Amino acid sequence: MLRAIVIMSIFPPGMFCRYFDITVSCLSPRLWSSIDESEKLFLCTSLHNAFVIGMCWGIGNTLVRRRLDPAMRNPPDTFVQRNWKDVSCGALAIGTSSLIKSIWVHYNPTDMVEEILANMFHTLSGNTTIATWLSSICAFVFGSETDRVSYNHYIYESMRVGISWGITSLFIRRGLNPDVRNGGRFIGKYWRDALYGTMAMACCVFVKLAARMLLEKIVFSLSNRVEPSLGDEL
């Protein structure tokens, strides 16, 4: 909700792209003029989306999670001093994750990656119980005609978001924070948190896609029921 408010009324993409174009043109006019207009638009929109997502995450994390949680809020006089580094690094990590996802989608041959993942999944799972269980869930959510190939996109999308979040969370949110970096030992301390966070984020994206598909199926079925009844009344 905060992201929509920021994009619509406070910081629209057109304003960001205009100022970004002016700034880069002044700093490196020859390089910027050699880039295609489509690439310029992609770069501007991706950076704007990353900036807005990082800023909204930082505001929400500060005002909701940390401010409302008594364990994190107390003592109130040191609230900002204790949390500003983690929130800043976390906002930078979330924004960088969004930028990585945009670049991944824009430049990566998605069909080829999905095909590789599908072959790996088929080879590893075979006819195991997990594969049968996953196929049954996907058939229920995405339709009875769904097979393993057709829901590869949803698995790929979930993995892409989860991996992007995990890498940036470990190396930016933890690695750039001087309070938890502790030399180079932050990897050994927080790799489990990044791993389980990656799995949680991937499951969250998959559930989000599944819920969207279920809602669309429910709305479609209800609309089909309402239309014949209206025809009978007429």
Side-chain angles (χ1 to χ4, degrees):
M1 184 176 66
L2 180 60
R3 178 187 173 190
I5 295 173
V6 171
I7 292 176
M8 294 296 295
S9 57
I10 300 177
F11 197 50
M15 180 188 299
F16 176 85
C17 290
R18 184 164 55 251
Y19 286 111
F20 180 80
D21 183 74
I22 295 173
T23 303
V24 179
S25 298
C26 295
L27 294 177
S28 182
R30 182 176 300 178
L31 177 62
W32 190 243
S33 60
S34 62
I35 301 176
D36 296 336
E37 292 298 327
S38 60
E39 294 295 325
K40 290 181 181 180
L41 180 61
F42 162 73
L43 183 60
C44 290
T45 53
S46 298
L47 288 174
H48 173 265
N49 192 42
F51 179 80
V52 171
I53 288 176
M55 182 179 65
C56 293
W57 182 91
I59 294 173
N61 189 276
T62 302
L63 298 181
V64 178
R65 181 187 175 192
R66 298 176 185 272
R67 196 62 181 174
L68 298 182
D69 189 352
M72 294 184 175
R73 184 177 62 232
N74 297 323
D77 54 342
T78 62
F79 174 76
V80 177
Q81 291 83 351
R82 288 186 294 108
N83 295 299
W84 75 269
K85 294 179 183 178
D86 182 64
V87 172
S88 300
C89 294
L92 180 61
I94 293 294
T96 306
S97 175
S98 174
L99 187 61
I100 290 174
K101 288 183 290 185
S102 300
I103 295 174
W104 193 338
V105 171
H106 187 71
Y107 292 107
N108 237 12
T110 305
D111 295 336
M112 184 182 68
V113 177
E114 290 185 13
E115 184 178 354
I116 294 174
L117 290 175
N119 293 332
M120 290 176 58
F121 178 77
H122 296 166
T123 303
L124 294 175
S125 61
N127 294 321
T128 60
T129 305
I130 297 177
T132 305
W133 176 73
L134 183 59
S135 300
S136 301
I137 292 178
C138 291
F140 172 75
V141 173
F142 303 118
S144 58
E145 72 280 359
T146 302
D147 56 6
R148 291 181 180 179
V149 178
S150 58
Y151 63 70
N152 285 333
H153 172 72
Y154 303 104
I155 298 177
Y156 168 75
E157 181 72 13
S158 304
M159 292 177 60
R160 180 174 63 83
V161 175
I163 292 173
S164 301
W165 183 92
I167 292 174
T168 55
S169 176
L170 180 62
F171 291 100
I172 296 181
R173 183 180 181 184
R174 307 300 185 185
L176 296 183
N177 190 348
D179 293 341
V180 300
R181 182 170 57 225
N182 194 17
R185 291 186 287 273
F186 70 94
I187 297 178
K189 184 177 181 180
Y190 290 104
W191 72 268
R192 291 184 180 88
D193 178 69
L195 176 62
Y196 294 127
T198 298
M199 297 169 61
M201 183 62 70
C203 291
C204 176
V205 174
F206 190 83
V207 171
K208 175 184 175 181
L209 294 172
R212 182 183 301 173
M213 292 291 296
L214 279 175
L215 289 175
E216 290 177 356
K217 290 172 62 177
I218 292 173
V219 171
F220 181 76
S221 62
L222 291 176
S223 63
N224 289 338
R225 292 180 181 179
V226 170
E227 290 178 357
S229 61
L230 292 177
D232 296 337
E233 293 178 0
L234 294 176

